[in-house]
Amino acid sequence: MSSAILLLLAFGLGLFGWLAARSRAWAFRRSAPGVRLHSLPNFHGWYVALWVAVPAVLFAGLWNVIGPMLITAQVLADPAASLLPTFGFERQTLLAEARAVAEGRAFGVFNEDAQALVEPFRSAINFYDSIGLVVTLIVAFAGGAFAFTRLKPDFTARTRVERAVMAALLIASLVAVLTTIGIIASLVFETVRFFGMVSPIDFLFGTHWSPDPMSGGAPDGKDYGAIPLFWGTIYIGAIIAMIVAIPLGLMSAIFLTQYASSGVRKVMKPLLEILAGVPTVVYGYFAALTVAPMVRDVAQAIGISSASTESAVAAGLVMGVMIIPFVSSMADDSIAAVPQAMRDGSLAMGATTAETIRKVLVPAALPGIVAGVMLAISRAIGETMIVVMAAGASANLTANPFESMTTVTFQIVAMLTGEGSFDHPATLSAFALGMVLFLVTLALNFIALRVVKRYREAYE
């Protein structure tokens, strides 16, 4: 029996417990009209439902892990498994084929040696599915019986349910924190392994990037110089893209908040924010098929004969368009949040609308604007598809925007795809690049917080 069926059973029993406990609480009121319940009947229902569903769900999750191992162990103990290879990929393949047929996910086996294991798998699955169903019912009814017997008019069901909700919220927050810690720990572990093979000096300050995932022997640290990747990431995502996104995003926010009529704003703002929902691969196609050839033609028209269809400026322009909504939306909200009294006071003292925007509204909204810019930069330096389709894969250290460049994210994808070993420095270099990218985005967030703290003001 799949874990999904056990979960549905747990939630169904929880619903039954909720209805039964709620009816029990209403019965307290009817049997003793003068007695006041400590908690509403709904809280009594939720208390019993939690005691029914939560233990059953936990057991279903545990059984989802233990059940397949028990099934495999029983099949391996069957005489039909004596012909299986002792170890290796072939053994796992035969077991997977027989299990797929026994579970109804396949119509037949490709290897005849797996056919003898189909019936043992089917018997083991039926046996342990029955055990899982019975134990789920026992756990759910035991929890429900314990909770149901505690229901009384003065029972503090609301307090206990609220504590359970608080515990769930705490667990949810801890999951996010622990996930972040796990990501950092994995990056640090693999980065340390990489720096055990390649010198950090060669990696962080080298200017030649050409790792070979299929090479053997000791790695040459001179092939792992990541400066061209860092420069490409900054040049495309933090310079060219920001030259496009910051002016257009900020000016669009100023127009929508200060000059546009309500009708124009209702139309233009949703249209602008649609850009944030367009898949990045669509931007990549637009960059590769439209913007890149146009940039090449313009460059050749002005005398740059070396311009090609893969260039940093093509990727940066499209990336800048993609992140305009991030800048515009944050700046729009920040400018709109400035108190109307500040606008009116500036205008009353004789300032023009442009002077009010430049000297009053933008400084007052600066924390939100800076936050939007930092969010946009973080989004840009983490972009991959546009770079893959428009900027190319060449790790060039150049300031010419019409030449091909690559970024950290593109190389991470390139190193982690293919048949390279995870013990090879070329593959491990992806984790080192990811660690550097993480530290850069973390530094950007710190800078944003410092700027926000520096310029934040309290308005009545």
Side-chain angles (χ1 to χ4, degrees):
M1 182 177 296
S2 66
S3 58
I5 296 177
L6 294 180
L7 290 176
L8 289 176
L9 178 62
F11 288 126
L13 294 174
L15 176 61
F16 175 78
W18 183 84
L19 293 173
R22 189 169 176 270
S23 300
R24 175 75 170 171
W26 281 112
F28 290 148
R29 281 189 172 183
R30 290 192 298 268
S31 60
V35 175
R36 181 178 179 85
L37 294 178
H38 176 276
S39 305
L40 293 175
N42 281 341
F43 286 105
H44 289 78
W46 281 112
Y47 177 75
V48 174
L50 289 174
W51 269 102
V52 171
V54 172
V57 168
L58 293 176
F59 172 76
L62 180 63
W63 191 251
N64 189 44
V65 176
I66 297 176
M69 294 189 294
L70 295 175
I71 292 172
T72 303
Q74 179 170 324
V75 171
L76 292 177
D78 192 274
S82 59
L83 300 178
L84 285 174
T86 306
F87 300 103
F89 177 75
E90 183 181 359
R91 173 190 178 92
Q92 299 301 323
T93 301
L94 295 175
L95 291 172
E97 288 185 17
R99 182 166 195 146
V101 174
E103 292 178 347
R105 294 184 286 110
F107 295 104
V109 296
F110 293 100
N111 195 317
E112 292 298 329
D113 293 337
Q115 184 63 44
L117 299 175
V118 173
E119 278 305 318
F121 258 115
R122 188 173 288 124
S123 300
I125 289 171
N126 292 334
F127 177 72
Y128 284 106
D129 279 353
S130 301
I131 292 179
L133 175 62
V134 171
V135 175
T136 301
L137 291 173
I138 292 174
V139 170
F141 279 113
F146 170 77
F148 198 81
T149 55
R150 303 188 68 187
L151 298 183
K152 297 178 182 178
D154 59 347
F155 182 67
T156 57
R158 178 172 65 91
T159 303
R160 298 171 187 272
V161 170
E162 289 176 350
R163 288 177 181 174
V165 173
M166 290 295 294
L169 295 176
L170 177 62
I171 292 173
S173 62
L174 288 177
V175 167
V177 172
L178 294 176
T179 301
T180 304
I181 294 175
I183 292 173
I184 297 173
S186 63
L187 283 177
V188 170
F189 178 76
E190 300 296 344
T191 301
V192 169
R193 289 182 61 199
F194 171 72
F195 285 141
M197 304 175 186
V198 177
S199 170
I201 303 299
D202 293 337
F203 177 75
L204 296 174
F205 300 101
T207 58
H208 177 68
W209 178 266
S210 60
D212 184 6
M214 308 308 295
S215 64
D220 187 356
K222 295 181 180 180
D223 292 336
Y224 291 86
I227 287 292
L229 307 185
F230 301 149
W231 169 245
T233 302
I234 295 172
Y235 196 49
I236 295 174
I239 296 178
I240 299 176
M242 289 302 108
I243 290 175
V244 176
I246 293 177
L248 294 180
L250 185 56
M251 287 189 291
S252 63
I254 292 173
F255 171 77
L256 291 175
T257 56
Q258 303 301 313
Y259 294 103
S261 63
S262 59
V264 173
R265 178 180 172 82
K266 288 180 181 178
V267 175
M268 293 298 296
K269 188 171 176 61
L271 289 177
L272 183 63
E273 293 181 347
I274 284 176
L275 292 175
V278 177
T280 56
V281 67
V282 176
Y283 282 110
Y285 280 122
F286 176 65
L289 300 179
T290 304
V291 177
M294 182 178 64
V295 168
R296 178 202 58 198
D297 295 340
V298 171
Q300 292 178 350
I302 61 177
I304 304 176
S305 59
S306 61
S308 67
T309 54
E310 292 183 344
S311 62
V313 68
L317 289 174
V318 177
M319 197 179 296
V321 173
M322 179 188 69
I323 61 179
I324 285 175
F326 292 92
V327 179
S328 176
S329 181
M330 295 289 288
D332 186 306
D333 295 338
S334 300
I335 294 173
V338 176
Q340 183 65 33
M342 296 186 64
R343 297 181 178 89
D344 296 341
S346 176
L347 296 173
M349 294 182 68
T352 63
T353 302
E355 291 173 336
T356 300
I357 293 171
R358 187 175 67 254
K359 296 183 178 181
V360 177
L361 297 183
V362 172
L366 190 60
I369 295 173
V370 171
V373 170
M374 292 302 173
L375 176 65
I377 293 176
S378 299
R379 178 68 178 83
I381 65 177
E383 174 54 38
T384 304
M385 288 305 302
I386 295 176
V387 178
V388 171
M389 303 179 72
S394 301
N396 293 324
L397 185 60
T398 176
N400 185 356
F402 297 101
E403 289 192 15
S404 175
M405 288 187 184
T406 189
T407 62
V408 169
T409 54
F410 177 85
Q411 290 300 316
I412 290 175
V413 174
M415 293 298 104
L416 290 179
T417 54
E419 299 180 357
S421 170
F422 272 81
D423 293 325
H424 196 282
T427 304
L428 294 176
S429 66
F431 296 95
L433 292 172
M435 190 67 190
V436 173
L437 192 64
F438 169 76
L439 293 176
V440 169
T441 55
L442 185 64
L444 291 176
N445 289 332
F446 276 127
I447 294 172
L449 290 175
R450 291 297 299 271
V451 173
V452 169
K453 184 178 180 180
R454 171 68 178 80
Y455 290 98
R456 179 183 290 130
E457 294 182 29
Y459 300 104
E460 296 293 332

